[in-house]
């Protein structure tokens, strides 16, 4: 792996860098004549300098080099992959690395970059959890470097062999991993001894550290003892070099001590582990943010729960300062250890608070993952769109050449004019047919994409419901254990009341979730609902208001408007289903009106009884007025919901002989109109 130190410079430096790019391009004739590639060292310098300043600037420079034809397509993909990986956009980096490796062009131009791309791609796949894919990729790269007898080839052969071993370790193939780790370690140690160069010693130390880490993360502590010794040798050699930065030395020594202490404590050598741990605490690295994380890792492995609980507030503040997104990594690395520390150290109240945070964070995890992946997919889509544009320009150029050739033939060979005209017409008809086929293919592609999106959203719905059911179940289980334990008699009356309230709340939450799952079948049902109730229209309205509890809302003011004539209107319908559909509309208005008002009006409209729900909330874009009635659609992920309320409500209304529509003419928020047929035998004039 390659790591770079990011520095922030002023706008003057950026301007100088941009000027250097233009001058370099002019010197190579790239501005006036495309296709002349700049020297590799020059492009490396420009791009890496930009990466030290701003990754977005680096992408702009790569785009500029593409526009002037200064780089091959393979090199462009390689540089973009590096930049996106450093930006934390692994999905985009994976795409570009795969494109760079799709041919052997980069291998012919610069084999070292080719090997580096395989190493980075293996790292990305490992981060994603695709250990099998990472292993396959590293093995393929190792096949290329095996034929390279140079010193650099030996270096990369060892690095890729270490990548293979790391994947094998995660897959439980310890014996194979041990063999590959040993070969990689010995090769890099030999190269470091022969050259004495900092980069070779650093590679040796880094790989030795990764091997040690592979054993500790997979709980192979007995076998990991010797690799702690091996890593210690490599890291001590690195730290002893004069050109080794002080921060690098402190980081490696501090992290080495925590790993060493973990292995010692897990192999029963607790006294030695404590000595190494105390040595770590005295180091400057222990006072850094990363050192604090290493400290917590040791305390967790050593099961020193009280000490870990004391450290937890600082870790929590650190995670907040880093503005860590609510991802699965955040839950696994921070909140779950916080909970364990508090629970196992007897701090039950803190543990329950942390459990509540975990429950509240679960919904945010899915939204974050979707937003994060959507942002990276947008970049991929822009890349594909750019490639499509280039292809279209190439097709346009080819068509112009055909026309020019035809015109030349007409001028030179007059007697072939008729033949050429007929041929051109045939070609045009064929082009039209091809265009029709392309349009049909596009329609099929769109339909397939929609089907896949529908399947994905349904899967997300089921997964979300599953998560939300497990959370209250876990809470119920925890409180049940508390009230059934021998210590339950010591609980105060207010504590018991609070536990009972929590149990009731979570029981009601599970019931609500089950009802949502049952509603899923209602959204696509075509069954006609039996209408056997003759009820006043206002009864439906009042029951829906009571069911939604909108009058008790603290953030919404509600009003119910109707005329005296509406008091006598009778509907021949199904009271339960009609109330349920109107309740969905009121719940929807309440949810998307954070602060404002909601109004329900009941009136006669085109021979039907109309229930009009207006709110002053966030509203709905006109172009989405029908899309919102599709299953699982949520226009704003920051609002809770399952995306089936409106489809269920419309399905019910239509099966009762009415409908629900969105009134796009209303601009004060959102307005939904539910219409139901009146009782034809009722006298509406009374």
């Amino acid at each position: 792996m390659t790591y770079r130190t990011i520095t922030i410079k002023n706008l003057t430096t950026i301007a100088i860098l941009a000027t250097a790019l233009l001058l370099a391009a002019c010197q190579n004739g790239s501005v006036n004549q495309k296709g002349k590639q700049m020297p590799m060292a020059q492009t490396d310098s420009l791009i890496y300098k930009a990466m030290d300043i701003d990754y977005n600037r680096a992408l702009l420079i790569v785009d500029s080099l593409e526009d002037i034809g200064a780089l091959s397509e393979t090199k462009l993909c390689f540089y973009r992959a590096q930049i996106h990986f450093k930006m934390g956009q692994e999905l985009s980096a994976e795409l570009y690395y795969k494109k760079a490796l799709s041919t052997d062009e980069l291998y012919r131009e610069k084999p070292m970059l080719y090997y580096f791309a395989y190493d980075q791609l293996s790292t990305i796949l490992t981060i994603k959890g695709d250990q099998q894919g990472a292993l396959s990729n590293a093995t393929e790269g190792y096949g290329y470097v095996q034929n390279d007898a140079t010193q650099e080839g030996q270096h990369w052969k060892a690095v890729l062999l270490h990548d293979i071993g790391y994947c094998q370790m995660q897959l439980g193939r310890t014996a194979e991993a041990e063999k590959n780790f040993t070969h990689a370690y010995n090769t890099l140690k030999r190269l470091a001894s022969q050259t004495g160069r900092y980069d070779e010693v650093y590679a040796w130390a880094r790989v030795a550290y990764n091997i040690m880490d592979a054993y500790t993360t997979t709980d192979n502590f007995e076998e990991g003892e010797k690799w702690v010794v091996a890593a210690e040798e490599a890291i001590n050699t690195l730290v002893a070099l004069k050109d080794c930065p002080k921060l690098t030395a402190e980081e490696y020594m501090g992290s080495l001590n925590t790993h060493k202490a973990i292995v010692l404590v897990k192999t029963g050598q607790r006294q030695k582990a404590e000595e190494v741990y105390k040595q770590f605490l005295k180091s400057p690295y222990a006072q850094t943010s990363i050192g604090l994380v290493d400290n917590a890792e040791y305390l967790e492995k050593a099961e020193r729960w009280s000490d870990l609980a004391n450290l937890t507030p600082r870790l929590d503040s650190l995670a907040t300062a880093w503005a860590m997104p609510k991802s699965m990594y955040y839950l696994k690395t921070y909140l779950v250890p916080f909970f364990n520390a508090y629970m196992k150290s007897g701090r039950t109240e803190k543990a329950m608070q942390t459990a509540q945070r975990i429950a509240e964070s679960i919904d945010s995890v899915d939204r974050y993952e979707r937003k994060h992946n959507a942002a990276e997919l947008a970049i991929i889509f822009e890349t594909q769109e750019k490639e499509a544009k280039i292809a279209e320009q190439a097709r346009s150029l080819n068509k112009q050449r055909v026309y020019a050739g035809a015109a030349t033939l007409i001028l030179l060979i007059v007697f072939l004019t008729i033949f050429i005209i007929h041929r051109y017409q045939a070609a045009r008809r064929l082009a039209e047919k091809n265009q029709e086929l392309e349009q049909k293919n596009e329609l099929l592609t769109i339909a397939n994409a929609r089907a896949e999106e529908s399947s994905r959203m349904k899967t997300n719905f089921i997964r979300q419901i599953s998560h939300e059911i497990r959370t209250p179940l876990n809470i119920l289980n925890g409180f049940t254990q508390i009230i059934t334990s021998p210590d339950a008699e010591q609980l105060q009356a207010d504590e018991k009341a609070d536990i009972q309230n929590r149990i009731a709340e979570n029981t009601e939450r599970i019931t609500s979730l089950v009802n949502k799952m049952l509603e899923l079948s209602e959204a696509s049902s075509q069954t006609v609902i039996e209408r056997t109730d003759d009820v006043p229209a206002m009864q439906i309205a009042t029951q829906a208001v009571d069911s939604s509890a909108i009058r008790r809302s603290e953030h919404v003011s509600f009003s119910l408007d109707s005329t005296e004539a509406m008091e006598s209107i009778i509907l021949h319908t199904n009271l339960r289903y009609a109330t349920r559909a109107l309740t969905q509309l009121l719940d929807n208005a309440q949810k998307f009106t954070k602060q404002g008002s909601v109004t329900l009006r009941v009136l006669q409209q085109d021979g039907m009884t109309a229930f009009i729900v207006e709110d002053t909330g966030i509203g709905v874009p006109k172009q989405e007025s029908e899309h919102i009635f599709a299953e699982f659609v949520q226009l704003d992920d920051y609002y809770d919901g399952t995306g089936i309320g409106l489809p269920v409500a419309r399905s019910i209304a239509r099966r009762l002989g009415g409908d629900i529509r969105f009134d796009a003419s209303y601009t004060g928020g959102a307005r939904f109109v539910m219409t139901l047929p009146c009782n034809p035998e009722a006298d509406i004039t009374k």
Side-chain angles (χ1 to χ4, degrees):
M1 302 180 188
T2 302
Y3 298 88
R4 283 187 171 272
T5 303
I6 302 174
T7 58
I8 300 178
K9 300 181 181 180
N10 54 32
L11 293 175
T12 305
T13 305
I14 297 174
I16 293 172
L17 184 59
T19 304
L21 172 62
L22 292 174
L23 289 174
C26 292
Q27 290 171 0
N28 285 276
S30 297
V31 172
N32 297 322
Q33 181 182 357
K34 290 189 176 183
K36 287 188 176 181
Q37 295 189 11
M38 296 171 63
M40 174 69 73
Q42 202 168 19
T43 56
D44 280 348
S45 176
L46 288 171
I47 295 170
Y48 288 134
K49 283 182 180 179
M51 287 169 66
D52 287 341
I53 299 171
D54 183 355
Y55 293 130
N56 289 315
R57 290 278 178 181
L59 285 175
L60 288 175
I61 287 179
V62 172
D63 289 341
S64 300
L65 291 171
E66 179 184 20
D67 290 338
I68 64 176
L71 288 175
S72 66
E73 182 65 22
T74 303
K75 289 180 187 173
L76 290 169
C77 290
F78 174 81
Y79 287 128
R80 285 180 175 130
Q82 280 191 283
I83 297 170
H84 282 296
F85 181 59
K86 289 182 178 295
M87 294 172 71
Q89 298 171 348
E90 291 86 6
L91 189 61
S92 299
E94 178 184 352
L95 172 75
Y96 284 118
Y97 273 130
K98 286 181 176 178
K99 290 179 68 176
L101 295 171
S102 62
T103 67
D104 61 354
E105 182 180 354
L106 187 62
Y107 179 75
R108 295 195 304 269
E109 292 180 10
K110 189 76 172 178
M112 299 308 113
L113 296 184
Y114 201 67
Y115 308 150
F116 176 80
Y118 271 108
D119 174 51
Q120 291 293 88
L121 183 55
S122 293
T123 301
I124 292 170
L125 294 174
T126 300
I127 292 172
K128 284 177 59 179
D130 183 10
Q131 305 298 341
Q132 196 62 53
L135 176 60
S136 177
N137 174 78
T139 303
E140 182 178 317
Y142 184 77
Y144 279 95
V145 75
Q146 264 191 319
N147 301 321
D148 193 333
T150 65
Q151 183 173 299
E152 287 183 322
Q154 295 178 49
H155 169 98
W156 284 108
K157 191 184 301 182
V159 170
L160 288 168
L161 199 59
H162 136 270
D163 289 340
I164 292 171
Y166 198 97
C167 298
Q168 291 171 333
M169 199 72 181
Q170 301 299 318
L171 294 170
R173 295 157 58 178
T174 309
E176 297 172 70
E178 172 78 12
K179 180 179 178 181
N180 290 326
F181 281 154
T182 301
H183 187 78
Y185 178 90
N186 290 336
T187 300
L188 291 173
K189 178 180 179 180
R190 175 174 54 81
L191 292 175
S193 300
Q194 290 175 352
T195 64
R197 295 204 313 265
Y198 174 79
D199 55 348
E200 290 292 352
V201 177
Y202 180 87
W204 174 35
R206 185 67 197 175
V207 165
Y209 174 87
N210 285 343
I211 295 172
M212 173 182 65
D213 183 70
Y215 278 87
T216 57
T217 55
T218 55
D219 295 341
N220 287 289
F221 302 109
E222 297 287 346
E223 298 86 349
E225 280 191 271
K226 68 176 183 179
W227 288 108
V228 171
V229 175
E232 192 170 19
E233 178 187 4
I235 291 172
N236 284 334
T237 304
L238 174 68
V239 171
L241 294 178
K242 293 181 179 180
D243 48 353
C244 179
K246 181 180 178 182
L247 289 177
T248 300
E250 291 176 353
E251 176 184 346
Y252 269 87
M253 289 301 299
S255 193
L256 170 66
N257 282 334
T258 55
H259 279 74
K260 184 176 181 180
I262 288 171
V263 170
L264 288 170
V265 78
K266 285 297 182 179
T267 54
Q269 305 174 65
R270 184 168 292 273
Q271 184 176 353
K272 289 184 179 180
E274 285 300 307
E275 292 174 1
V276 175
Y277 175 65
K278 289 177 181 178
Q279 185 179 351
F280 157 78
L281 291 177
K282 294 177 182 178
S283 67
Y285 175 74
Q287 308 306 317
T288 66
S289 299
I290 304 300
L292 182 64
V293 175
D294 280 358
N295 191 357
E297 182 180 0
Y298 169 76
L299 293 175
E300 183 181 13
K301 293 289 186 181
E303 300 181 358
R304 291 173 52 173
W305 304 114
S306 181
D307 292 339
L308 181 57
N310 293 334
L311 200 65
T312 292
R314 292 178 60 195
L315 287 166
D316 202 3
S317 300
L318 179 63
T320 303
W322 282 345
M324 295 192 68
K326 299 297 185 295
S327 63
M328 290 304 299
Y329 177 83
Y330 171 78
L331 293 182
K332 178 181 178 182
T333 308
Y334 290 93
L335 290 188
V336 172
F338 293 172
F339 173 82
N340 289 334
Y342 285 134
M343 181 62 73
K344 294 180 180 181
S345 62
R347 306 180 193 185
T348 309
E349 183 178 353
K350 287 284 189 180
M352 295 309 299
Q353 292 174 359
T354 307
Q356 187 66 28
R357 286 179 62 188
I358 293 173
E360 292 170 354
S361 299
I362 288 177
D363 291 338
S364 302
V365 169
D366 187 57
R367 287 198 297 270
Y368 166 76
E369 296 294 345
R370 279 188 288 150
K371 283 186 64 179
H372 183 69
N373 290 339
E376 296 190 344
L377 286 172
I379 295 173
I380 294 174
F381 177 77
E382 290 176 1
T383 302
Q384 294 172 339
E385 192 175 46
K386 185 182 294 184
E387 291 176 347
K389 183 178 180 181
I390 294 172
E392 179 61 30
Q393 291 174 346
R395 286 195 295 270
S396 176
L397 181 59
N398 290 335
K399 188 179 289 186
Q400 292 174 10
R401 289 173 179 171
V402 171
Y403 291 157
T408 302
L409 288 173
I410 290 172
L411 291 174
L412 295 176
I413 310 172
V414 177
F415 66 88
L416 291 178
T417 301
I418 298 176
F419 171 77
I420 293 173
I421 291 174
H422 281 291
R423 186 172 181 179
Y424 172 71
Q425 290 175 343
R428 185 174 60 183
R429 286 194 296 270
L430 180 60
E432 290 173 352
K433 293 293 184 182
N434 288 336
Q435 188 174 5
E436 291 178 4
L437 288 174
E438 288 179 0
Q439 291 175 349
K440 290 179 180 178
N441 285 335
E442 289 178 0
L443 292 175
L444 287 173
T445 302
I446 293 172
N448 184 52
R450 287 178 177 174
E452 291 179 354
E453 177 67 10
S454 176
S455 176
R456 185 188 65 80
M457 289 191 297
K458 183 172 292 187
T459 299
N460 286 344
F461 170 79
I462 299 300
R463 183 174 60 189
Q464 179 185 356
I465 291 294
S466 176
H467 277 303
E468 292 189 7
I469 286 178
R470 285 199 299 269
T471 300
L473 282 176
N474 289 336
I475 294 175
L476 287 174
N477 181 49
F479 281 123
T480 302
Q481 291 180 13
I482 291 174
I483 63 176
T484 58
S485 67
D487 298 332
E489 296 178 358
Q490 300 178 8
L491 294 174
Q492 300 296 324
D494 57 341
E495 292 177 332
K496 290 183 179 179
D498 180 63
I499 290 175
Q500 291 173 352
N501 289 336
R502 294 284 187 93
I503 291 175
E505 288 173 1
N506 284 280
T507 302
E508 183 178 351
R509 182 178 176 187
I510 292 175
T511 303
S512 175
L513 291 170
V514 172
N515 288 336
K516 285 183 180 180
M517 295 182 70
L518 293 176
E519 285 179 348
L520 181 61
S521 61
E522 291 280 358
S524 57
S525 175
Q526 301 295 324
T527 306
V528 175
I529 298 173
E530 186 177 4
R531 288 176 274 173
T532 58
D533 301 326
D534 292 317
V535 296
M538 293 307 299
Q539 182 179 346
I540 295 174
T542 55
Q543 285 192 197
V545 170
D546 293 338
S547 178
S548 66
I550 195 170
R551 291 188 187 278
R552 298 193 296 273
S553 175
E554 296 179 358
H555 65 278
V556 170
S557 62
F558 174 75
S559 61
L560 173 60
D561 296 339
S562 66
T563 62
E564 292 183 2
M566 291 305 302
E567 300 290 333
S568 60
I569 295 299
I570 303 298
L571 302 184
H572 185 68
T573 185
N574 186 301
L575 176 60
R576 184 170 68 87
Y577 276 96
T579 302
R580 182 176 165 194
L582 185 56
T583 301
Q584 293 279 18
L585 296 183
L586 291 172
D587 287 341
N588 190 69
Q590 185 177 358
K591 179 171 64 175
F592 291 102
T593 306
K594 288 299 185 183
Q595 195 71 37
S597 63
V598 176
T599 302
L600 170 60
R601 294 188 174 88
V602 186
L603 49 83
Q604 287 288 300
Q605 192 177 83
D606 298 329
M608 305 281 280
T609 298
F611 299 84
I612 303 173
V613 178
E614 294 178 357
D615 63 62
T616 59
I618 62 174
V620 178
K622 289 184 178 180
Q623 65 272 19
E624 301 289 343
S625 59
E626 277 302 312
H627 187 218
I628 56 176
F629 289 101
E631 294 178 10
F632 311 109
V633 171
Q634 294 190 91
L635 300 183
D636 194 332
D637 290 335
Y638 288 99
Y639 289 84
D640 294 333
T642 58
I644 62 172
L646 289 177
V648 169
R650 172 178 271 189
S651 173
I652 291 173
R654 288 181 173 177
R655 288 186 286 147
L656 289 173
D659 200 358
I660 292 179
R661 63 180 177 84
F662 172 73
D663 187 353
S665 64
Y666 180 69
T667 58
R671 175 191 287 162
F672 290 87
V673 181
M674 182 178 81
T675 56
L676 293 176
C678 299
N679 186 342
E681 298 178 0
D683 184 3
I684 64 174
T685 63
K686 290 183 180 180

